[in-house]
PDB file of all heavy atoms in Angstrom:
ATOM      1  N   THR B  35       7.021  -5.780 -24.319  1.00  0.00           N
ATOM      2  CA  THR B  35       5.862  -4.865 -24.009  1.00  0.00           C
ATOM      3  C   THR B  35       4.661  -5.378 -24.706  1.00  0.00           C
ATOM      4  O   THR B  35       3.539  -5.374 -24.156  1.00  0.00           O
ATOM      5  CB  THR B  35       6.266  -3.462 -24.325  1.00  0.00           C
ATOM      6  OG1 THR B  35       7.398  -3.071 -23.603  1.00  0.00           O
ATOM      7  CG2 THR B  35       5.099  -2.540 -24.038  1.00  0.00           C
ATOM      8  N   LYS B  48     -11.117 -10.552 -17.329  1.00  0.00           N
ATOM      9  CA  LYS B  48     -11.410 -11.603 -16.365  1.00  0.00           C
ATOM     10  C   LYS B  48     -10.983 -11.285 -14.909  1.00  0.00           C
ATOM     11  O   LYS B  48     -11.590 -11.585 -13.919  1.00  0.00           O
ATOM     12  CB  LYS B  48     -10.639 -12.865 -16.778  1.00  0.00           C
ATOM     13  CG  LYS B  48     -11.279 -14.182 -16.391  1.00  0.00           C
ATOM     14  CD  LYS B  48     -10.462 -15.216 -17.083  1.00  0.00           C
ATOM     15  CE  LYS B  48     -10.828 -16.635 -16.757  1.00  0.00           C
ATOM     16  NZ  LYS B  48      -9.964 -17.646 -17.354  1.00  0.00           N
ATOM     17  N   GLU B 264      28.469  -9.410  11.857  1.00  0.00           N
ATOM     18  CA  GLU B 264      29.246  -8.200  11.473  1.00  0.00           C
ATOM     19  C   GLU B 264      28.454  -7.432  10.403  1.00  0.00           C
ATOM     20  O   GLU B 264      27.648  -8.011   9.727  1.00  0.00           O
ATOM     21  CB  GLU B 264      30.681  -8.500  11.135  1.00  0.00           C
ATOM     22  CG  GLU B 264      30.936  -9.346   9.889  1.00  0.00           C
ATOM     23  CD  GLU B 264      30.631 -10.881  10.100  1.00  0.00           C
ATOM     24  OE1 GLU B 264      30.159 -11.264  11.143  1.00  0.00           O
ATOM     25  OE2 GLU B 264      30.826 -11.547   9.101  1.00  0.00           O
ATOM     26  N   GLU B 285      -5.117 -18.355  18.602  1.00  0.00           N
ATOM     27  CA  GLU B 285      -6.279 -18.570  17.820  1.00  0.00           C
ATOM     28  C   GLU B 285      -6.424 -17.466  16.711  1.00  0.00           C
ATOM     29  O   GLU B 285      -5.800 -16.527  16.880  1.00  0.00           O
ATOM     30  CB  GLU B 285      -7.502 -18.522  18.789  1.00  0.00           C
ATOM     31  CG  GLU B 285      -7.535 -17.200  19.695  1.00  0.00           C
ATOM     32  CD  GLU B 285      -8.835 -17.252  20.406  1.00  0.00           C
ATOM     33  OE1 GLU B 285      -8.941 -17.905  21.434  1.00  0.00           O
ATOM     34  OE2 GLU B 285      -9.685 -16.407  19.966  1.00  0.00           O
ATOM     35  N   ASP B 407       7.796  -3.115  22.149  1.00  0.00           N
ATOM     36  CA  ASP B 407       7.834  -4.652  22.080  1.00  0.00           C
ATOM     37  C   ASP B 407       8.804  -5.078  20.995  1.00  0.00           C
ATOM     38  O   ASP B 407       9.567  -6.024  21.217  1.00  0.00           O
ATOM     39  CB  ASP B 407       6.433  -5.205  21.690  1.00  0.00           C
ATOM     40  CG  ASP B 407       5.494  -5.279  22.843  1.00  0.00           C
ATOM     41  OD1 ASP B 407       5.872  -4.943  23.989  1.00  0.00           O
ATOM     42  OD2 ASP B 407       4.363  -5.595  22.583  1.00  0.00           O
ATOM     43  N   LEU B 485      15.882  -8.230   2.519  1.00  0.00           N
ATOM     44  CA  LEU B 485      15.829  -8.572   1.033  1.00  0.00           C
ATOM     45  C   LEU B 485      16.975  -9.799   0.956  1.00  0.00           C
ATOM     46  O   LEU B 485      16.615 -10.647   0.133  1.00  0.00           O
ATOM     47  CB  LEU B 485      16.101  -7.391   0.189  1.00  0.00           C
ATOM     48  CG  LEU B 485      14.939  -6.394   0.150  1.00  0.00           C
ATOM     49  CD1 LEU B 485      15.402  -5.100  -0.383  1.00  0.00           C
ATOM     50  CD2 LEU B 485      13.844  -6.978  -0.808  1.00  0.00           C
ATOM     51  N   ARG B 500       2.271 -22.190 -10.117  1.00  0.00           N
ATOM     52  CA  ARG B 500       1.779 -20.803 -10.540  1.00  0.00           C
ATOM     53  C   ARG B 500       0.324 -20.855 -10.784  1.00  0.00           C
ATOM     54  O   ARG B 500      -0.330 -21.864 -10.866  1.00  0.00           O
ATOM     55  CB  ARG B 500       2.493 -20.383 -11.891  1.00  0.00           C
ATOM     56  CG  ARG B 500       3.885 -20.093 -11.725  1.00  0.00           C
ATOM     57  CD  ARG B 500       4.364 -19.181 -12.880  1.00  0.00           C
ATOM     58  NE  ARG B 500       5.779 -19.044 -12.860  1.00  0.00           N
ATOM     59  CZ  ARG B 500       6.604 -19.878 -13.553  1.00  0.00           C
ATOM     60  NH1 ARG B 500       6.097 -20.710 -14.407  1.00  0.00           N
ATOM     61  NH2 ARG B 500       7.937 -19.677 -13.435  1.00  0.00           N
TER      62      ARG B 500
END
Side-chain angles (χ1 to χ4, degrees):
Chain B
T35 299
K48 205 172 179 188
E264 62 287 2
E285 52 172 78
D407 280 358
L485 288 163
R500 289 200 191 97

